[in-house]
Amino acid sequence: MEKEESLRLRRIAMKEEEVEPLEFIEEMTSHVDEVQQMVLDDILSTNANAEYLQRHGIFGGSIDRKTFKSKLPIIEYEDILPDIQRIANGDPSPIFSAQPVSELITSSGTSGGEQKIVPVIANHLEGIYTIFGWLIPAVMNKNISGLDKGKVLFFFSTRKETKSPAGIIMRSVLTSYYKSPQFLCKHYANVNYTSSIPSIHCTDIFQCLYAQMLAGLANRLAIFQIGSTFAPMFLQAIHFLKRHYEELAADIEHGTVNPQVTDTAVRAALGNALTPDSENAEHIRKECSSGDFRGIIRRIWPNTKFLDVIVTGPMAQYIPSLNFYSGDLPLTSTPYGSSECFFGLNLYPFTKPEDIAYTIMPNIAYFEFLPVKPADDIGRITAMQVVDPVELAHVEDGKEYELLVTTYSGLYRYKIGDVLRVAKFYNKAPQFHIVGRKNVCLSIYMEKTEETELQKAIATAELAHLRPHNARVLDYICYTDVKTIPGHYVIFCELSTINHCENSSFSRVIDQCCLTIEQSLNYVYRALRAYDKTIGPLEIKLVKGGTFHEVMDHAIARGASAAQYKPPKCVKSTWMLEILEVRVVSSHFSPGVPSWSP
């Protein structure tokens, strides 16, 4: 009987036996450890002839977890970069997986300033669909009735594809998914999206946004939910509406398509869906022309029940802006994943953003957790005290961990970089709050800028522009200003020479420092800044002499140790930002955009 139950559970976990999605969630979360062992056995047996496993003394067959941990090291991207480069250059050997590499996923992370690429097999798309297209819709329908009666305005963004030296397709994970059979034949077919497939696949940002916004406005009374994967894309769409509502309203009034939309497939899809509607056009003009966009979502799309957008981790900084534009509509943050692997979902989508906890699905990959202790450094995650990793079923309530994954595509004990805190349990499955990204100092959209990277960029600008004027950087603190659309990096900087601040020629020097810093930042930052335009020009704010001594004095007064005080490089506190702002003597913006090529 026990063997039969185990075989049944395996068939469900591997999706060989049909069950309803909510039943699937119950089965997986009630048998976490058993499913995890099945997944590990399956990964190792499927990839038995993988070079990487054999290199570490694993030659197939079922092995216990202790042996798995003793033979395979915990790794980061740089540890496997030489092998990834072999794949990108055309080596056909089964390096990580027995199955052939289907594409290279471009990650939002970087290594040495260059974008990370992750080799995946075709099956990785099935895991994304399981979370995105199968489980999340079922959870949403469980929590709110009538969603199937309305339409969905979702702002999609597809990136241009490139190829590796060997001709392997390189693209973002969402671009891969939006072009996959899983999305086109199952996910998209089962959701009443207003955005057409041509507009989703369009890589021209203006045409993509224009087409999707126009379709959403034409169907505005039928819209029940609005969203985008990440908050910056959603806010970019609202900013787009501010700037282009007149052209959009004109197209709705006359049933036409703006001539700036030149993509023939996009135009054809819109032309088939538009009919002249002067009453709708007048309403849009009335609501947008006042310039007051507070609660604009409720005023334009009055039947919207919630915003579907990720607002956890670094995206939490956008919550005030989302509340402003939506009129405090509920924010549902449903999926949890990364370029390397999708992990799980939020089973309680209408929870307050600060209480959101994600349930990791044990059938997706094999998961381990490194217990970590945040350093006492004014709220930043920096140095970590690490002990042996534990399994998904054995994490403890309230503890913090760094996430490791072992995937079917051949990542083994790979550090994702997310730090999670166990919030509660659903059946036997832990649910996690996202604490943050380890070592990440700044992030506006998908980029992850680390402290060391920023430090090197500032040093480069100092050497090129300040030293010739006998000036140097005494100290700096940075933060992301997301009150502007798009958001941008701000660096508060104290110089050794400040009497030049009112000199126009020296002001231009600081402007050039902004551009040099941007040019020195990672590939993903430069792409988002130059191509996607989801990050605005970097800003340097010069502050009065002694500003950073004052910051230290306040930190000590608030309980920081005078002997162990380390000046933070990223603002995390309102009081710190207030001190810095009142001591600003001048502001300077990057005069151009950093160079970038796909």
Side-chain angles (χ1 to χ4, degrees):
M1 188 69 179
E2 184 177 333
K3 185 177 180 180
E4 289 180 4
E5 174 62 20
S6 179
L7 288 172
R8 185 191 71 85
L9 186 62
R10 177 182 175 80
R11 288 195 300 271
I12 294 173
M14 302 303 166
K15 299 188 74 175
E16 296 168 359
E17 180 175 316
E18 288 287 334
V19 295
E20 292 300 315
L22 295 179
E23 181 186 349
F24 182 85
I25 290 171
E26 292 300 314
E27 290 281 3
M28 294 300 99
T29 57
S30 297
H31 302 91
V32 172
D33 210 34
E34 300 96 308
V35 173
Q36 280 282 273
Q37 184 63 60
M38 291 176 189
V39 168
L40 181 60
D41 290 344
D42 202 40
I43 291 172
L44 296 179
S45 61
T46 300
N47 297 329
N49 67 335
E51 180 185 314
Y52 183 86
L53 290 178
Q54 295 185 1
R55 189 187 303 164
H56 291 284
I58 295 179
F59 295 91
S62 178
I63 64 172
D64 59 56
R65 299 185 203 191
K66 184 176 180 181
T67 304
F68 170 75
K69 290 181 178 181
S70 66
K71 288 184 175 291
L72 287 171
I74 294 170
I75 61 168
E76 299 185 49
Y77 181 79
E78 286 70 23
D79 298 316
I80 56 174
L81 180 56
D83 286 322
I84 291 174
Q85 289 171 335
R86 285 173 56 195
I87 294 170
N89 290 327
D91 190 330
S93 307
I95 296 173
F96 296 120
S97 171
Q99 298 185 49
V101 170
S102 60
E103 58 188 315
L104 296 169
I105 296 299
T106 54
S107 168
S108 57
T110 56
S111 174
E114 296 301 314
Q115 190 168 32
K116 292 180 181 179
I117 54 174
V118 181
V120 296
I121 60 176
N123 187 53
H124 90 286
L125 291 164
E126 196 59 38
I128 300 172
Y129 169 73
T130 296
I131 301 295
F132 250 142
W134 192 52
L135 297 180
I136 287 175
V139 169
M140 294 305 300
N141 285 322
K142 175 187 175 183
N143 282 271
I144 186 168
S145 61
L147 285 182
D148 58 333
K149 302 293 191 291
K151 295 186 177 184
V152 179
L153 170 56
F154 197 87
F155 295 103
F156 296 90
S157 177
T158 302
R159 300 288 304 270
K160 285 183 178 178
E161 299 174 358
T162 57
K163 290 187 176 181
S164 77
I168 303 172
I169 290 176
M170 297 171 57
R171 55 191 177 187
S172 73
V173 67
L174 289 178
T175 297
S176 174
Y177 181 60
Y178 295 150
K179 293 189 174 184
S180 72
Q182 287 86 346
F183 178 76
L184 296 173
C185 301
K186 295 192 286 187
H187 186 166
Y188 183 87
N190 292 327
V191 178
N192 196 3
Y193 288 115
T194 56
S195 299
S196 68
I197 291 297
S199 72
I200 293 172
H201 290 172
C202 180
T203 58
D204 181 273
I205 295 169
F206 174 86
Q207 296 184 67
C208 164
L209 270 179
Y210 194 95
Q212 294 183 34
M213 182 64 78
L214 184 58
L217 290 171
N219 292 275
R220 67 182 189 86
L221 297 180
I223 301 294
F224 278 19
Q225 64 184 90
I226 298 179
S228 182
T229 305
F230 297 107
M233 179 63 181
F234 180 83
L235 294 173
Q236 186 181 17
I238 297 303
H239 191 55
F240 188 91
L241 177 62
K242 280 185 181 180
R243 288 179 293 155
H244 299 286
Y245 75 87
E246 290 181 351
E247 302 104 290
L248 289 159
D251 279 343
I252 288 172
E253 182 175 12
H254 301 293
T256 56
V257 180
N258 191 317
Q260 292 182 75
V261 178
T262 57
D263 186 300
T264 54
V266 174
R267 289 187 67 86
L270 280 171
N272 293 334
L274 289 176
T275 55
D277 189 340
S278 58
E279 184 178 345
N280 189 11
E282 182 57 33
H283 180 83
I284 292 165
R285 289 191 184 99
K286 177 184 175 183
E287 294 298 340
C288 295
S289 62
S290 69
D292 178 12
F293 266 59
R294 182 187 296 273
I296 192 67
I297 301 299
R298 289 183 184 270
R299 286 154 41 202
I300 296 290
W301 296 277
N303 297 314
T304 304
K305 299 178 184 296
F306 58 89
L307 294 189
D308 182 18
V309 61
I310 294 173
V311 290
T312 51
M315 295 296 134
Q317 61 188 322
Y318 295 101
I319 292 172
S321 294
L322 293 170
N323 288 338
F324 176 86
Y325 290 116
S326 73
D328 295 312
L329 280 169
L331 304 174
T332 64
S333 192
T334 45
Y336 174 43
S338 71
S339 299
E340 294 84 355
C341 175
F342 268 60
F343 312 127
L345 70 159
N346 175 11
L347 297 180
Y348 303 101
F350 290 94
T351 298
K352 292 180 180 179
E354 61 269 24
D355 296 326
I356 289 171
Y358 295 101
T359 304
I360 289 182
M361 297 303 294
N363 64 301
I364 298 293
Y366 183 70
F367 300 100
E368 297 175 85
F369 298 84
L370 282 168
V372 298
K373 183 179 180 181
D376 180 18
D377 198 5
I378 316 185
R380 293 186 301 139
I381 297 174
T382 54
M384 299 287 179
Q385 297 178 358
V386 182
V387 295
D388 291 337
V390 298
E391 289 79 22
L392 177 61
H394 299 142
V395 296
E396 298 179 40
D397 191 16
K399 296 287 183 68
E400 292 184 5
Y401 301 88
E402 184 179 357
L403 177 61
L404 311 178
V405 297
T406 295
T407 70
Y408 283 93
S409 292
L411 294 176
Y412 303 97
R413 311 195 76 199
Y414 179 88
K415 286 186 174 184
I416 291 294
D418 285 0
V419 177
L420 311 175
R421 181 185 303 116
V422 181
K424 51 189 174 181
F425 288 79
Y426 183 85
N427 294 328
K428 294 182 180 179
Q431 298 179 303
F432 296 92
H433 287 310
I434 297 177
V435 177
R437 292 282 301 181
K438 191 175 132 182
N439 298 328
V440 172
C441 181
L442 296 173
S443 180
I444 282 180
Y445 194 4
M446 295 181 294
E447 88 292 358
K448 302 173 180 71
T449 302
E450 298 184 358
E451 273 192 26
T452 53
E453 179 186 358
L454 186 65
Q455 183 178 1
K456 289 178 183 177
I458 291 173
T460 299
E462 178 186 54
L463 184 62
H465 305 294
L466 297 180
R467 293 295 178 88
H469 293 270
N470 296 316
R472 61 188 179 88
V473 176
L474 294 179
D475 210 339
Y476 67 90
I477 293 180
C478 57
Y479 85 109
T480 52
D481 183 354
V482 296
K483 292 180 181 178
T484 61
I485 299 178
H488 68 290
Y489 288 9
V490 178
I491 302 173
F492 293 97
C493 193
E494 183 177 333
L495 301 183
S496 60
T497 303
I498 60 172
N499 58 344
H500 293 300
C501 292
E502 296 180 4
N503 183 297
S504 61
S505 63
F506 191 72
S507 179
R508 289 193 291 272
V509 168
I510 305 301
D511 294 345
Q512 288 302 313
C513 284
C514 294
L515 183 56
T516 297
I517 291 170
E518 290 196 294
Q519 189 61 52
S520 303
L521 294 179
N522 61 72
Y523 177 96
V524 178
Y525 174 91
R526 287 181 284 115
L528 295 173
R529 174 84 169 85
Y531 174 72
D532 292 78
K533 304 189 189 310
T534 49
I535 298 179
L538 182 142
E539 180 182 8
I540 289 177
K541 293 186 175 184
L542 297 182
V543 296
K544 298 175 183 176
T547 293
F548 289 90
H549 289 297
E550 187 171 337
V551 170
M552 182 179 71
D553 290 343
H554 275 74
I556 292 169
R558 298 172 71 90
S561 167
Q564 296 180 316
Y565 176 76
K566 301 173 192 171
K569 294 306 170 196
C570 300
V571 174
K572 297 292 183 182
S573 308
T574 302
W575 65 263
M576 191 181 296
L577 188 60
E578 290 173 350
I579 291 172
L580 293 165
E581 286 287 4
V582 298
R583 296 180 69 87
V584 170
V585 294
S586 62
S587 293
H588 309 263
F589 289 89
S590 181
V593 294
S595 61
W596 171 83
S597 60

